[in-house]
Amino acid sequence: MKELHSFSWYAKQIKPHLPKDVFKPVPSRLFGGLAYLLITIAGFLTIGLMNLHPVINLAISLVIGFSFAGLGFLGHEILHGTVVRKPWLRDLLGAIAFFPLSTGPKLWRKWHNMTHHVHTQHEEKDPDAWPTLEKIKRMKMFRWVYRLPLKVRSTFAFISLAFQFSMHSTKMFITYVKDFKPKKQPEVWLQAVLPWITWIGLLFVMGFTKWLFAFFIPLLIANLIVMGYISTNHRLNPITPINDPLANSLTVTVPKWVDVLHFNFSYHTEHHLFPGMNPKHYPLVKEQIKRFWPERYHEMPLSQALIALWKTPRVYYKDNKLADPKYGKLYRSLGSGLDPKNIKFRRLRLRK
């Protein structure tokens, strides 16, 4: 692995070459969120008040699901303080944006901003990092899962993307709620429980069938879209002892219109360099990264990254490789020779 540098080291080199106004909040991004919110409400009313054919309801579910995901992407940048700066307004708007995904703003900032961003791809400290081979040897459930063939594991892993964000968010709530001061904990609980009270209440108002189309199916779709990005953010990259975004993060490329709909969420390496900058300006950061360190920068089309995920296991071995315990195969991670078009591996004898 090449010499690692902290994200602040890179940021210091790039910052003088960026316009000064790129670090200002961009409240106009809220118009996109308002559009998604209105579409969602319209979808709820259409499904709830009309008796439409299931195929039409399913089409509306897709639109609502896309809107849920779009709101989630906007909530992510709101809670980084890149849309509005006032803490109470930031948290209020972030709560609204994350409401469909039932994730509270205080939990998100603790889990994502203060922990994941500070300790990205750290074996022990990053709550989003995947386990090492040494760790799964001590976990009975994981040992059983990794006895399954890789294609079976990949199939279930990709299916699980449809509910993985919701499950992980619940896990993070259980993990971090006790870290908040006692006076803050009731607020954290309220932010976690209120969305689910609302969605379960909607079930009794609409009835089960309409609720499936109005909320449950859209939630699965939103999970799938959001996790389609999140699963590629770091899972092909190595574990790193130093938080080096050019080593441990991946930017994916999507059509320009998708970037517009998803608030530039694809620019993930850039986001880890400047989490306090609005994603609107990340193309400028990308230009500078490719100017200074083109050989260190990781990017690939989203579809290609997902294929690489399908072909590789999710267990780390010696930080920069991915191991398949069942077959004793070792796969290279990004930065250590991974070719997503032709995944190469060598035999590895694993100690039992």
Side-chain angles (χ1 to χ4, degrees):
M1 190 183 298
K2 297 175 182 178
E3 182 184 1
L4 300 177
H5 302 286
S6 69
F7 64 91
S8 59
W9 184 88
Y10 292 109
K12 186 177 180 180
Q13 315 303 312
I14 293 176
K15 192 173 180 179
H17 302 277
L18 296 172
K20 292 183 179 180
D21 63 354
V22 299
F23 296 97
K24 295 179 180 179
V26 185
S28 61
R29 307 283 274 185
L30 295 172
F31 288 113
L34 178 61
Y36 281 131
L37 186 60
L38 293 175
I39 291 170
T40 298
I41 294 171
F44 282 175
L45 291 174
T46 302
I47 292 173
L49 298 177
M50 302 177 70
N51 295 313
L52 301 172
H53 191 278
V55 174
I56 299 176
N57 279 338
L58 183 59
I60 297 172
S61 293
L62 287 169
V63 174
I64 296 173
F66 292 151
S67 299
F68 280 5
L71 285 167
F73 293 137
L74 178 61
H76 169 250
E77 64 180 73
I78 288 173
L79 292 175
H80 270 292
T82 68
V83 178
V84 294
R85 288 279 165 81
K86 290 184 178 180
W88 70 268
L89 184 58
R90 176 202 64 205
D91 283 3
L92 174 62
L93 295 172
I96 294 170
F98 267 122
F99 207 84
L101 294 172
S102 302
T103 301
K106 290 195 178 299
L107 171 65
W108 179 260
R109 285 173 56 77
K110 170 66 177 176
W111 150 31
H112 180 77
N113 296 20
M114 299 167 63
T115 311
H116 169 66
H117 267 273
V118 175
H119 304 294
T120 308
Q121 285 296 85
H122 188 282
E123 180 182 344
E124 300 293 338
K125 296 179 181 179
D126 183 2
D128 299 337
W130 278 77
T132 60
L133 183 62
E134 291 73 18
K135 187 176 289 187
I136 68 161
K137 286 179 180 179
R138 303 192 296 267
M139 303 167 71
K140 188 174 181 179
M141 178 64 181
F142 271 84
R143 289 203 308 270
W144 180 84
V145 167
Y146 281 93
R147 291 193 186 104
L148 298 172
L150 177 58
K151 287 185 178 179
V152 174
R153 276 179 271 144
S154 294
T155 299
F156 281 104
F158 270 65
I159 291 172
S160 76
L161 294 180
F163 47 85
Q164 202 173 105
F165 183 88
S166 295
M167 290 183 61
H168 192 55
S169 180
T170 302
K171 178 184 176 183
M172 292 298 96
F173 174 78
I174 295 169
T175 300
Y176 289 116
V177 66
K178 293 182 180 178
D179 289 355
F180 290 91
K181 295 179 180 180
K183 289 192 293 186
K184 293 288 185 182
Q185 287 185 18
E187 187 177 357
V188 178
W189 271 95
L190 180 64
Q191 291 176 358
V193 173
L194 184 59
W196 285 111
I197 291 175
T198 302
W199 302 129
I200 294 171
L202 190 66
L203 167 63
F204 291 100
V205 172
M206 282 188 162
F208 182 72
T209 301
K210 290 188 175 183
W211 180 81
L212 283 178
F213 287 112
F215 174 70
F216 187 72
I217 294 174
L219 179 64
L220 297 181
I221 293 167
N223 267 265
L224 193 61
I225 294 171
V226 169
M227 289 307 303
Y229 283 103
I230 293 177
S231 63
T232 63
N233 289 165
H234 309 287
R235 295 181 186 179
L236 293 170
N237 297 81
I239 292 286
T240 54
I242 295 173
N243 187 359
D244 183 328
L246 268 65
N248 62 28
S249 302
L250 170 67
T251 286
V252 294
T253 56
V254 295
K256 180 62 179 177
W257 63 270
V258 175
D259 267 335
V260 171
L261 292 177
H262 294 166
F263 298 95
N264 277 1
F265 193 80
S266 63
Y267 290 83
H268 204 70
T269 301
E270 294 78 2
H271 174 60
H272 273 262
L273 278 180
F274 293 105
M277 177 191 294
N278 192 277
K280 174 183 177 180
H281 304 296
Y282 285 160
L284 297 176
V285 177
K286 182 174 185 174
E287 288 178 8
Q288 295 302 322
I289 296 174
K290 297 181 82 169
R291 173 190 167 197
F292 283 100
W293 310 284
E295 75 289 350
R296 299 176 70 97
Y297 182 65
H298 299 305
E299 70 171 328
M300 66 175 76
L302 177 59
S303 59
Q304 191 173 316
L306 290 170
I307 291 170
L309 281 174
W310 174 273
K311 292 182 177 180
T312 55
R314 303 272 70 77
V315 180
Y316 284 101
Y317 176 78
K318 294 188 182 297
D319 294 347
N320 66 344
K321 295 177 178 63
L322 299 162
D324 187 345
K326 179 175 176 63
Y327 297 106
K329 292 178 180 178
L330 193 65
Y331 298 73
R332 299 178 186 275
S333 63
L334 289 172
S336 61
L338 172 65
D339 177 2
K341 293 182 180 178
N342 181 26
I343 302 297
K344 297 179 180 179
F345 59 86
R346 65 179 175 81
R347 289 284 179 179
L348 171 69
R349 184 173 294 176
L350 302 176
R351 295 179 181 177
K352 297 184 178 179

